[in-house]
Amino acid sequence: MAAPKEKTLKNLSGKWVMNKTLSDDTDRILQMQGVGWFLRRAIALSTITLTVTEYIKDDLTHIDISQVASPGGITSTENRVLDWVYHDHSDRVFGDVKGKSRWVKLSDIDDDDFLKKGWDDMEGEHVQGYVESKGGGWTADQVWGFEIIDEKRYYVRHVVVRKGDDWKLARLVYDFQK
């Protein structure tokens, strides 16, 4: 189901399921990130569910995400603090990474236009996340927001992954569950 109006970037808590019909294929991005063929196939055939808990602690926004691919039970977590400081993380799918996240206005994003275009709210703040692989040689930059697709409002992530001179783009679209 499309995102209800009360769901915003400051109120993402709940369950979100990737809409694979509206999302771009992620296989080439996952391959660039060093994810093996078998795991990429399992992810491609699975339903991806995000359980999001958003809260304020010590005046900072925290967004904790448990991601599950079903069937198969492939899990990963994203525990983000929107402070634009690197935090180390060891991920079952992506290995050892360091990442930072922040609230950002689209006009303050230096990079690719893909990260800045198509949003429902072009003036307000969005969430930007940046991750560097510690051993894989890739980076991932993403911006989160909401888009109107086929006259319905969805939670969306625009993702740019780079490795050397190569780069891939993907738009990930999520349905709200509860």
Side-chain angles (χ1 to χ4, degrees):
M1 128 172 144
K5 290 186 185 229
E6 63 270 10
K7 287 298 168 187
T8 68
L9 290 175
K10 298 201 186 262
N11 179 24
L12 274 178
S13 292
K15 287 193 184 289
W16 301 87
V17 176
M18 183 183 288
N19 183 318
K20 292 196 175 182
T21 301
L22 298 176
S23 294
D24 295 332
D25 183 29
T26 59
D27 187 70
R28 298 203 40 174
I29 283 180
L30 293 170
Q31 183 178 18
M32 184 181 284
Q33 292 173 304
V35 178
W37 180 86
F38 183 76
L39 185 52
R40 291 194 324 267
R41 291 303 311 143
I43 291 169
L45 297 171
S46 297
T47 299
I48 308 297
T49 303
L50 309 179
T51 301
V52 179
T53 304
E54 184 171 357
Y55 57 96
I56 304 293
K57 181 179 176 185
D58 299 326
D59 294 325
L60 293 170
T61 301
H62 293 247
I63 303 175
D64 297 344
I65 301 171
S66 172
Q67 184 170 266
V68 178
S70 301
I74 302 163
T75 62
S76 68
T77 59
E78 297 177 55
N79 293 326
R80 297 176 181 265
V81 180
L82 277 59
D83 60 2
W84 207 235
V85 172
Y86 279 109
H87 299 271
D88 291 327
H89 176 70
S90 185
D91 188 275
R92 184 173 167 192
V93 175
F94 301 111
D96 291 333
V97 298
K98 65 178 185 176
K100 57 186 180 176
S101 301
R102 67 178 174 172
W103 290 110
V104 66
K105 292 204 175 277
L106 297 174
S107 59
D108 293 332
I109 298 173
D110 299 331
D111 214 0
D112 197 293
D113 280 347
F114 175 73
L115 295 174
K116 299 189 263 189
K117 303 261 185 209
W119 300 108
D120 181 31
D121 176 7
M122 296 296 290
E123 302 302 319
E125 288 187 311
H126 289 71
V127 173
Q128 181 181 20
Y130 180 80
V131 175
E132 293 179 16
S133 171
K134 290 187 176 182
W138 57 265
T139 63
D141 199 355
Q142 55 181 282
V143 173
W144 306 354
F146 289 87
E147 287 187 27
I148 304 298
I149 303 169
D150 297 331
E151 299 181 17
K152 295 179 183 168
R153 183 174 170 270
Y154 292 93
Y155 167 51
V156 176
R157 296 180 178 190
H158 289 195
V159 182
V160 178
V161 175
R162 292 182 178 80
K163 185 172 184 176
D165 293 334
D166 197 7
W167 51 272
K168 303 287 184 257
L169 310 174
R171 178 177 79 166
L172 307 178
V173 179
Y174 295 88
D175 291 313
F176 183 71
Q177 291 297 302
K178 59 177 176 172

